[in-house]
Amino acid sequence: MRDLKAVGKKFVHVMYPKKSSALLRDWDLWGPLVLCVSLALMLQGGAADSKDDGGPQFAEVFVIIWFGAVVITLNSKLLGGTISFFQSLCVLGYCVLPLTVAMLVCRLVLLAGNGTVSFIIRLIVVVAMFAWSTLASTAFLADSQPPNRKALVVYPIFLFYFVISWMILTFTPQ
Amino acid sequence: MAAADDLKFQEFDDAANLLAANPGATTISIDEPVQIPKNQRSRLQEPGREEDDELLGTDDSDKTELLAGQKKSAPFWTFDYYQTFFDVDTYQVLDRIKGSVFPVPGKNFVRLYIRSNPDLYGPFWICATLVFTIAVSGNLSNFFIHLGKPTYHYVPEFRKVSIAATTIYAYAWLVPLALWGFLMWRNSKVMNIVSYSFLEIVCVYGYSLFVYIPTAMLWIIPERVVRWVLMMFSLCLSGSVLVMTFWPAVRDDNRRIALATVGTIILLHALLSVGCLAYFFDAPEVDFPAPIIPAHNGTTVITKSVSKVTTPVSPSVQ
C-alpha cells in the first residue's frame, strides 16, 4: 500500500512538474514498468501487410523504452552528471506517463474514425504530450548536469520521446 | 623537409618546456573547466611553414589539454576511462558539426577540430539521429507518394528502423576499423607523416554523416531530380571532409595505393547514400501494383494504376 501511494505520488509529480526532488530521492521502477507494459500493450494490433511491415511488436516497444533509457542514463553519466543510474531511469520512465495518456486518447479517437479530422486531433494531442514529457524530464534531470553540457544531455531525451511519439502517432488499427 | 616536420610534432611535447623557457610569452587563458591554462597557440608554431601547415591546421579552433598524454591513463575496465571519450562541451560539438557541414578547403577536419580530443558523443548520437531520420522520412515520403491510391494502406514499416540502425552503425564503426587497420599496415611499410588513432577516424566518419540528416529530411520531396541533386550535394560535402582528412595520410605512399584508398572511401560513402535512398524511399513514379483481378471474359487482366488513372492493360504481362 505504501509503495502504491509512492507510485501514485510520483505520477502526480510528473503531471505537475515542480522543482522537487522527491522523484529523484526515492526512486522506484514500478511506475515505469507499468507504463511501459501498458504502452506496449496499447501499441499492439497495429496494421501489418503481408510483408510483416507493420507497427512495433510488444518486445520492440519494451526494448526501445528500456534500452533507450539506459543509453540516455549512461550518456548523461559519461558527460559528468551527478545523478545516480537508477534515479535517472526512474525519472525517464515516469515521464513516459503523458505519452501513455496520449496513446489512450489516440485509441479512443481512432474508435470514432480514421479520417483527416481524427488525424489532426491525434497529432495535436501527441505533440502536446511529447512536449510535456520532454519538459518534465528536463526539469528533473537538467540540474544534475554541468552547465556547459546541458544541451548535450537534453538532446537524447528529446530524441527518445520523439521516437515514442512517432510510434504512437503512426499507430493505425487493422 | 623531414627536419621541419619532426620539429612540428615535437612541439606537442615541448610546449610546456617552451613556456618554461620563455615565461614572458603571451599566453591566452580560456575560461574552461580544466586545471591547466591553455597556453599553446599559433605563437608556438614556427613561421614560414609550407602547405603541410595549411592542410594540418592550426591549434586555434579547438581547446585541447596541454598534457594530452595524461588523458587516457585510466585502465579500460573503469568507468573513468570511457568518461574521457565524452569530455566535450556543447560548443565543441556544435563547432565540429559546423566544420563537417562547411568544410574549409585545405583544412583538415581532424587537426582543426578534433586535436587529440576525439569524442564518442558526436558519432554515436549523429548515427542514432540519422537512423531515425531516415526511417521516419522514408515512411513519410512513401505515405505522401501513395496517398490517394485506392489500394494503399498505410503501414508504419517499423522493421526498417532496425535495418537502418544495423547499416548505419556498421558503416560508422566497421569502415573506420578497416581503414585504421589498413593505415597502420601501410605505416609499417612507409613512414607517413600523418597518422590517426582509431577514435579520430571514428570521429571523422561520425561527424561527416551529419550532413545526411537534413538531406534525409529533404528527400521527402517526391521528385527524382531533386533527390539526386541533394544526394550529389551531400556526397560532395561529406566526401570532401573525408578526403581532406585522409589524403595527407596516404599522400606519401605509392601513388596508386593512395588513389585507390581515397577512391574506396568515396565509393563506400556513395554506396551508403545510394543504398539508403533506394531502400527507404520509394521512387516517385513507380506504379503501385494492384492485385490481379479476373476480367469478365475469362482472361486475366492486370490493372495498373498510373497516377490515379486506372487503365486495363492487355493480358501480356510483364
Side-chain angles (χ1 to χ4, degrees):
Chain A
M1 208 48 219
R2 173 187 55 103
D3 281 342
L4 270 181
K5 279 217 188 110
V7 170
K9 253 176 55 163
K10 292 206 181 72
F11 279 151
V12 171
H13 263 294
V14 169
M15 293 316 268
Y16 301 104
K18 302 181 282 271
K19 276 265 167 75
S20 89
S21 50
L23 248 191
L24 298 188
R25 262 202 313 263
D26 315 315
W27 60 266
D28 79 270
L29 294 179
W30 285 113
L33 183 65
V34 163
L35 287 173
C36 182
V37 167
S38 54
L39 186 61
L41 279 178
M42 284 197 277
L43 277 169
Q44 292 311 293
D49 60 9
S50 60
K51 288 186 309 197
D52 198 33
D53 242 355
Q57 302 297 313
F58 181 91
E60 284 174 340
V61 177
F62 215 80
V63 160
I64 283 187
I65 293 185
W66 285 103
F67 187 65
V70 165
V71 164
I72 293 178
T73 308
L74 276 180
N75 177 65
S76 79
K77 287 199 71 82
L78 283 168
L79 282 170
T82 54
I83 198 171
S84 99
F85 183 78
F86 285 106
Q87 282 173 351
S88 171
L89 276 189
C90 166
V91 170
L92 287 169
Y94 270 102
C95 289
V96 173
L97 176 66
L99 286 169
T100 311
V101 168
M103 183 74 220
L104 199 57
V105 170
C106 281
R107 282 215 90 149
L108 293 175
V109 168
L110 279 170
L111 281 179
N114 199 359
T116 314
V117 173
S118 105
F119 175 73
I120 301 222
I121 298 178
R122 282 186 289 139
L123 181 67
I124 296 178
V125 167
V126 169
V127 166
M129 291 299 152
F130 159 66
W132 199 335
S133 280
T134 310
L135 288 174
S137 59
T138 310
F140 286 122
L141 289 177
D143 284 338
S144 62
Q145 301 304 321
N148 49 347
R149 296 180 180 180
K150 277 211 168 56
L152 295 185
V153 172
V154 168
Y155 171 70
I157 301 179
F158 169 86
L159 187 64
F160 175 62
Y161 289 124
F162 178 79
V163 170
I164 299 182
S165 315
W166 176 255
M167 288 197 293
I168 293 176
L169 189 58
T170 60
F171 173 78
T172 49
Q174 280 286 0
Chain B
M1 177 95 170
D5 291 329
D6 284 342
L7 274 177
K8 184 179 69 63
F9 282 97
Q10 279 175 13
E11 81 169 316
F12 281 94
D13 299 321
D14 291 342
N17 295 340
L18 275 171
L19 193 62
N22 185 12
T26 312
T27 63
I28 304 169
S29 64
I30 313 295
D31 185 13
E32 202 177 281
V34 288
Q35 294 82 9
I36 308 156
K38 303 291 187 285
N39 293 325
Q40 53 164 10
R41 276 301 170 261
S42 45
R43 319 196 162 278
L44 297 178
Q45 287 181 349
E46 295 161 13
R49 300 185 152 261
E50 53 250 60
E51 52 154 21
D52 276 351
D53 189 32
E54 296 291 299
L55 213 49
L56 295 168
T58 66
D59 305 21
D60 285 346
S61 312
D62 200 340
K63 328 289 198 252
T64 64
E65 292 188 8
L66 195 59
L67 302 175
Q70 282 189 356
K71 259 183 58 164
K72 296 176 174 45
S73 57
F76 70 90
W77 55 84
T78 62
F79 188 74
D80 292 336
Y81 175 74
Y82 298 101
Q83 218 163 8
T84 57
F85 302 139
F86 283 77
D87 193 17
V88 279
D89 293 335
T90 309
Y91 74 90
Q92 281 176 314
V93 172
L94 290 177
D95 265 348
R96 291 173 185 191
I97 291 177
K98 196 168 50 102
S100 78
V101 176
F102 304 115
V104 179
K107 294 282 173 131
N108 183 324
F109 180 78
V110 173
R111 289 297 169 231
L112 205 57
Y113 291 104
I114 309 292
R115 301 255 58 169
S116 58
N117 186 20
D119 70 306
L120 285 181
Y121 177 90
F124 183 78
W125 287 109
I126 290 178
C127 287
T129 311
L130 186 61
V131 164
F132 289 114
T133 309
I134 284 191
V136 167
S137 302
N139 199 228
L140 267 181
S141 133
N142 292 349
F143 173 70
F144 285 130
I145 286 177
H146 298 304
L147 190 61
K149 298 219 173 93
T151 51
Y152 179 69
H153 185 57
Y154 170 75
V155 286
E157 290 176 325
F158 204 73
R159 290 291 160 282
K160 295 200 170 172
V161 172
S162 33
I163 297 176
T166 316
T167 314
I168 290 179
Y169 273 101
Y171 178 81
W173 289 85
L174 293 183
V175 171
L177 185 66
L179 189 59
W180 174 74
F182 177 75
L183 288 178
M184 286 294 117
W185 174 60
R186 294 310 299 178
N187 261 352
S188 67
K189 301 200 157 204
V190 176
M191 194 54 219
N192 270 330
I193 299 174
V194 177
S195 67
Y196 299 118
S197 72
F198 171 62
L199 281 172
E200 288 173 344
I201 301 184
V202 167
C203 238
V204 173
Y205 264 88
Y207 280 103
S208 75
L209 286 176
F210 177 81
V211 75
Y212 285 118
I213 295 176
T215 309
M217 292 199 267
L218 287 175
W219 272 344
I220 297 180
I221 302 173
E223 289 295 323
R224 203 181 281 254
V225 171
V226 169
R227 284 180 178 178
W228 278 91
V229 164
L230 278 171
M231 177 163 70
M232 286 294 131
F233 185 64
S234 57
L235 183 62
C236 284
L237 274 184
S238 58
S240 68
V241 170
L242 290 177
V243 165
M244 284 194 291
T245 303
F246 290 110
W247 181 245
V250 295
R251 184 175 46 185
D252 300 311
D253 206 341
N254 184 348
R255 195 83 188 163
R256 295 224 302 254
I257 295 191
L259 287 175
T261 309
V262 173
T264 312
I265 292 177
I266 299 186
L267 184 67
L268 285 174
H269 215 63
L271 267 178
L272 178 78
S273 49
V274 170
C276 281
L277 180 61
Y279 183 70
F280 293 101
F281 295 84
D282 283 347
E285 297 105 22
V286 160
D287 303 323
F288 195 80
I292 299 176
I293 52 169
H296 291 300
N297 53 4
T299 59
T300 308
V301 176
I302 295 179
T303 312
K304 278 184 72 164
S305 323
V306 177
S307 41
K308 302 188 193 168
V309 173
T310 305
T311 53
V313 181
S314 67
S316 61
V317 303
Q318 73 265 44

